[in-house]
């Protein structure tokens, strides 16, 4: 909540308790409800945080009533003047997300990591933490030995990859991988190829070129999603030569040992896990261990978040467990932020896995809807607007789901203009902006609550008063759906207000005060969309 609203509530609280109100200065839980019949607000405060003992009598909640006009004025003035609490102890938060493999198109399997990771980065930034967004690209491993074998077998050179390069590489990889499944010779050749790459005895020009064309492809997708990374890292940064000192550290602390097969093994939660292959080639696990240790040395982070799906739980348990034996502080700061998978995402052309195809499909569908809608402004039917609407639909459809659950993607639900969808939120923002620009009213500097006696305004101010606490919940639980569902509920109230509370045709003072309410709603919607990773539209 705004400092202004909190200060007012604490002052009012003195009329209801003999206890020291200082314990409520760092409120972690607030619930404001509007009592229509009494024309008053009821406030429920709790000083309790998750870490506190709920049996402590000092943690008891307090409920008290506050004059309607006091709440309305403090809520609207707080939003009007951009009041926010200052984070006096910002944390260094490192977030690894998206992280696709090179030589492959951006798979929809990486979509949730990208969308959820961007939301978590944005909400940490909103709360004034120092955020580092890392994209850790997979450019290392036996798959590149397979790819090299396939390119050679098909007599393909770098020059042959100029046109439609990423899909050519992908098709070569898929075909070679399929052959390798039944041909041990190909498997062994691929392993040998990668071992030569890792030991630096192979020509790396093709590999470097594959990295370049993959990054160019990825950047186009990230641009459409409005995402910018602070740092690109590569799995190859942690190849066999680069992590020798870390392997020596793990051996010196008796965390890993040499198995009779020649592999380097660690014991994690009563099971053996391989850290290095018998030919000393690195694995996903060994590279992630090294990356984590190096990152802590570089950033000295307070939290290290891995935004990766549920299937990788055992992997990250192993990474954190092993690193914890050489750096307990680092390991305690780490968290695997899990999520479920998307099912049923395809285009009219059939089942695809290319994210650009999905975004193109969303863009195309929105262009059709825009042309068919009677409410669409002709100036808004353009490629950029349709692309933003399509991307919005995909992002909000994902973020309204519970993070850890799998879900089935449905085009009709994602792109609907009625009901709970990203398109509805964009339409709301556009309508509010249009009202501001075309109402003829002047936005006031301060609220005069005596002029705002409509019941629906009382309800909307109730929702606006909850905004900061909704953000706090979404932040602590790392659940975007808390914020998305808040916006859906707010939009239903605002649609009622459009019908019941007119700005045009009202007296100047009344029109200005009503405009202030609409303006504050738009500010909340605008801020929320940006946190969710959506670019707000002003016309559609």
């Amino acid at each position: 909540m705004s400092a202004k609203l909190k200060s007012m509530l604490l002052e009012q609280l003195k009329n209801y308790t003999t206890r020291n109100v200082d314990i409520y200065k760092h409120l972690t839980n607030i619930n404001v409800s509007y009592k229509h019949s009494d024309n008053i607000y009821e406030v429920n405060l709790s000083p309790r945080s998750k870490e506190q003992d709920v049996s402590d009598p000092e943690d008891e909640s307090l409920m008290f009533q506050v004059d309607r006009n006091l709440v309305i004025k403090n809520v609207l003035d707080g939003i009007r003047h951009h009041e926010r609490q200052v984070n006096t102890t910002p944390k260094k938060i490192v977030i690894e997300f998206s992280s696709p493999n090179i030589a492959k198109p951006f798979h929809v399997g990486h979509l949730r990591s990208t969308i959820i990771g961007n939301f978590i980065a944005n909400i940490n930034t909103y709360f004034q933490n120092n955020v580092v967004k890392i994209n850790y690209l997979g450019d290392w491993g036996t798959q590149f030995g397979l790819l090299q074998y396939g390119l050679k077998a098909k007599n393909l050179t770098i020059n042959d990859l100029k046109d439609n390069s990423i899909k050519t590489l992908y098709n070569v990889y898929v075909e070679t991988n399929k052959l390798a499944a039944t041909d041990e010779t190909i498997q062994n050749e691929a392993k040998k190829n990668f071992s030569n790459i890792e030991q630096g005895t192979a020509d790396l020009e093709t590999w470097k070129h594959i990295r370049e064309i993959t990054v160019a492809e990825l950047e186009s997708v990230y641009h459409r999603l409005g995402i910018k990374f602070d740092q690109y890292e590569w799995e190859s940064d942690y190849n066999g030569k680069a992590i020798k000192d870390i392997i020596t550290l793990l051996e010196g602390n008796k965390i890993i040992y040499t198995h009779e097969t020649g592999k380097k093994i660690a014991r994690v939660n009563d099971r053996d896990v391989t850290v290095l292959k018998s030919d000393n080639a690195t694995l996903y696990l060994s590279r992630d261990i090294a990356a984590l240790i190096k990152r802590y040395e570089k950033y000295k982070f307070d939290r290290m978040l891995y935004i990766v799906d549920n299937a990788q739980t055992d992997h990250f348990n192993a990474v954190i467990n092993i690193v914890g034996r050489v750096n307990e502080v680092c390991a305690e700061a780490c968290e695997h932020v899990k999520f479920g998978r998307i099912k049923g995402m395809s285009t009219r052309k059939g089942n695809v896995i290319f994210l650009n195809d999905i975004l193109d499909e969303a863009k195309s569908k929105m262009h059709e809807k825009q042309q068919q809608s009677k409410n669409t402004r002709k100036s808004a039917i353009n490629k950029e607007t349709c692309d933003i609407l399509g991307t919005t639909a995909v992002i909000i459809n994902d973020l309204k789901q519970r993070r850890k659950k799998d879900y089935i993607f449905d085009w009709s639900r994602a792109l609907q203009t009625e009901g709970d969808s990203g398109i509805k939120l964009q339409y709301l923002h556009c309508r509010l902006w249009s009202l501001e620009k075309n109402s003829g009213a002047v936005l006031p500097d301060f609220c005069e609550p005596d002029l705002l006696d409509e019941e629906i305004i009382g309800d909307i101010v109730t929702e606006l008063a909850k905004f900061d606490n909704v953000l706090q919940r979404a932040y602590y639980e790392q659940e975007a759906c808390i914020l998305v569902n808040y916006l859906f509920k707010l939009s239903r109230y605002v649609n009622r207000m459009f019908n019941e509370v007119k700005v045009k045709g009202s007296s100047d003072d009344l029109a200005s005060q009503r405009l202030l309410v609409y303006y504050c709603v738009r500010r909340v919607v605008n801020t929320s969309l940006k946190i969710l990773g959506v670019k707000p539209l002003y016309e559609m």
Side-chain angles (χ1 to χ4, degrees):
M1 71 182 71
S2 70
K4 189 178 183 69
L5 178 59
K6 179 185 284 188
S7 177
M8 181 275 289
L9 291 177
L10 289 175
E11 191 62 31
Q12 292 295 306
L13 185 58
K14 292 177 182 178
N15 300 323
Y16 292 89
T17 182
T18 57
R19 292 162 62 183
N20 184 358
V21 299
D22 286 346
I23 65 171
Y24 291 91
K25 283 186 176 179
H26 302 288
L27 292 171
T28 59
N29 190 19
I30 178 172
N31 184 52
V32 178
S33 55
Y34 178 49
K35 301 298 180 184
H36 295 161
S37 57
D38 299 326
N39 205 28
I40 202 164
Y41 282 94
E42 192 167 80
V43 181
N44 189 324
L45 299 180
S46 172
R48 183 170 61 243
S49 67
K50 291 181 181 179
E51 292 78 19
Q52 289 176 304
D53 181 4
V54 296
S55 64
D56 187 340
E58 288 294 306
D59 284 346
E60 292 178 3
S61 297
L62 280 179
M63 186 174 291
F64 61 99
Q65 293 181 331
V66 181
D67 178 74
R68 180 184 188 276
N69 283 0
L70 268 177
V71 173
I72 289 177
K73 180 169 179 58
N74 280 274
V75 170
L76 297 183
D77 282 352
I79 296 173
R80 173 70 177 91
H81 296 286
H82 310 273
E83 292 183 1
R84 283 183 57 194
Q85 296 184 58
V86 176
N87 183 354
T88 57
T89 56
K91 306 295 184 185
K92 172 62 74 69
I93 313 294
V94 176
I95 308 175
E96 180 195 304
F97 65 101
S98 193
S99 303
N101 294 315
I102 74 167
K104 295 182 182 180
F106 196 117
H107 193 290
V108 295
H110 297 286
L111 176 64
R112 295 209 79 189
S113 174
T114 305
I115 291 174
I116 294 168
N118 192 45
F119 157 72
I120 291 173
N122 290 342
I123 201 166
N124 271 277
T125 300
Y126 177 86
F127 283 108
Q128 302 157 54
N129 287 322
N130 299 315
V131 176
V132 178
K133 294 179 284 186
I134 293 178
N135 196 353
Y136 183 49
L137 298 175
D139 68 330
W140 215 238
T142 305
Q143 69 265 33
F144 293 99
L146 280 170
L147 187 59
Q148 186 172 345
Y149 178 92
L151 290 171
K152 187 176 180 180
K154 289 182 173 291
N155 293 315
L156 291 173
T157 66
I158 291 175
N159 291 330
D160 296 318
L161 300 177
K162 288 181 179 178
D163 297 322
N164 208 17
S165 54
I166 200 72
K167 288 190 177 180
T168 300
L169 287 169
Y170 177 70
N171 290 333
V172 169
Y173 172 75
V174 169
E175 186 177 330
T176 308
N177 193 43
K178 193 174 181 179
L179 292 172
T182 56
D183 190 333
E184 194 172 332
T185 303
I186 296 176
Q187 293 179 29
N188 292 334
E189 188 67 24
K191 290 177 182 178
K192 182 182 176 183
N193 286 340
F194 174 62
S195 181
N196 291 337
I197 291 172
E198 185 156 51
Q199 301 307 318
T201 59
D203 179 14
L204 298 181
E205 285 307 307
T206 301
W207 168 74
K208 289 177 181 177
H209 184 72
I210 291 171
R211 282 190 11 163
E212 290 170 3
I213 60 178
T214 305
V215 170
E217 170 87 3
L218 291 173
E219 287 288 1
S220 71
V221 177
Y222 294 133
H223 178 73
R224 295 181 75 174
L225 294 171
I227 296 173
K228 290 184 179 179
F229 288 93
D230 300 302
Q231 186 77 38
Y232 278 90
E233 288 187 2
W234 305 89
E235 282 194 61
S236 58
D237 293 340
Y238 307 101
N239 61 52
K241 287 185 178 180
I243 68 171
K244 275 186 177 180
D245 58 333
I246 290 174
I247 296 300
T248 300
L249 174 69
L250 297 177
E251 287 181 316
N253 284 274
K254 297 183 180 179
I255 297 167
I256 62 174
Y257 66 93
T258 303
H259 190 262
E260 60 185 18
T261 60
K263 298 176 181 178
K264 303 290 185 184
I265 301 290
R267 189 77 176 165
V268 177
N269 298 328
D270 297 323
R271 65 186 181 93
D272 289 335
V273 294
T274 303
V275 177
L276 280 181
K277 295 181 181 179
S278 57
D279 61 358
N280 284 325
T282 59
L283 293 165
Y284 185 35
L285 177 60
S286 45
R287 294 189 289 273
D288 268 11
I289 291 168
L292 177 53
I293 291 172
K294 295 290 187 183
R295 284 175 191 168
Y296 189 75
E297 290 174 359
K298 180 177 181 179
Y299 297 110
K300 292 294 188 290
F301 49 74
D302 296 294
R303 297 186 74 199
M304 170 73 229
L305 305 179
Y306 294 96
I307 319 301
V308 186
D309 74 21
N310 294 326
Q312 297 296 320
T313 298
D314 287 345
H315 170 77
F316 284 105
N317 282 342
V319 172
I320 295 168
N321 179 293
I322 291 169
V323 171
R325 295 185 227 174
V326 293
N327 190 330
E328 187 176 349
V329 175
C330 169
E332 287 178 352
C334 294
E335 180 182 356
H336 173 202
V337 181
K338 308 170 189 177
F339 57 84
R341 293 183 172 180
I342 308 173
K343 300 177 181 179
M345 184 174 263
S346 63
T347 70
R348 284 172 284 197
K349 295 177 183 178
N351 292 318
V352 298
I353 59 169
F354 307 144
L355 183 57
N356 256 332
D357 290 342
I358 293 296
L359 296 181
D360 286 344
E361 179 81 357
K363 177 181 176 180
S364 174
K365 285 177 178 286
M366 283 316 307
H367 189 262
E368 291 173 10
K369 281 182 171 286
Q370 288 287 85
Q371 288 182 314
Q372 294 166 5
S373 174
K374 296 178 181 179
N375 297 321
T376 301
R377 296 177 184 271
K378 288 185 178 180
S379 59
I381 303 178
N382 57 68
K383 289 182 179 180
E384 182 183 6
T385 297
C386 292
D387 197 31
I388 291 171
L389 283 172
T391 303
T392 298
V394 172
I395 291 174
I396 297 299
N397 187 72
D398 188 276
L399 293 181
K400 74 180 184 181
Q401 320 291 335
R402 275 282 168 187
R403 172 167 51 82
K404 293 183 181 180
K405 290 189 175 182
D406 296 346
Y407 74 91
I408 298 172
F409 184 86
D410 184 303
W411 277 114
S412 60
R413 288 185 180 181
L415 300 178
Q416 65 188 1
T417 52
E418 299 298 325
D420 296 339
S421 70
I423 308 306
K424 177 182 177 180
L425 297 179
Q426 286 283 24
Y427 180 72
L428 175 64
H429 186 266
C430 290
R431 189 173 178 184
L432 288 166
W433 176 254
S434 177
L435 188 153
E436 281 181 47
K437 294 301 151 188
N438 301 311
S439 67
V442 177
L443 188 66
D445 289 330
F446 295 99
C447 173
E448 296 179 25
D450 287 333
L451 296 175
L452 301 172
D453 57 2
E454 290 83 2
E455 185 177 285
I456 185 60
I457 290 179
D459 288 327
I460 283 179
V461 169
T462 299
E463 296 306 310
L464 295 178
K466 295 175 182 176
F467 179 53
D468 284 334
N469 287 83
V470 167
L471 289 178
Q472 286 277 359
R473 277 190 60 213
Y475 168 65
Y476 285 119
E477 296 181 32
Q478 296 167 338
E479 279 284 9
C481 68
I482 294 170
L483 178 56
V484 174
N485 289 324
Y486 165 80
L487 289 178
F488 290 151
K489 183 178 180 182
L490 178 63
S491 70
R492 289 191 282 272
Y493 280 117
V494 179
N495 285 331
R496 268 186 57 201
M497 186 172 167
F498 282 136
N499 294 324
E500 298 176 19
V501 181
K502 304 299 181 182
V503 177
K504 274 189 175 182
S506 302
S507 65
D508 289 350
D509 288 346
L510 182 58
S512 289
Q513 290 300 314
R514 288 177 171 180
L515 179 62
L516 176 61
V517 181
Y518 285 115
Y519 168 82
C520 289
V521 171
R522 190 185 66 77
R523 282 288 316 284
V524 165
V525 174
N526 184 284
T527 299
S528 299
L529 289 176
K530 289 176 179 176
I531 289 172
L532 293 167
V534 167
K535 182 179 181 179
L537 286 172
Y538 293 84
E539 184 180 56
M540 62 179 282

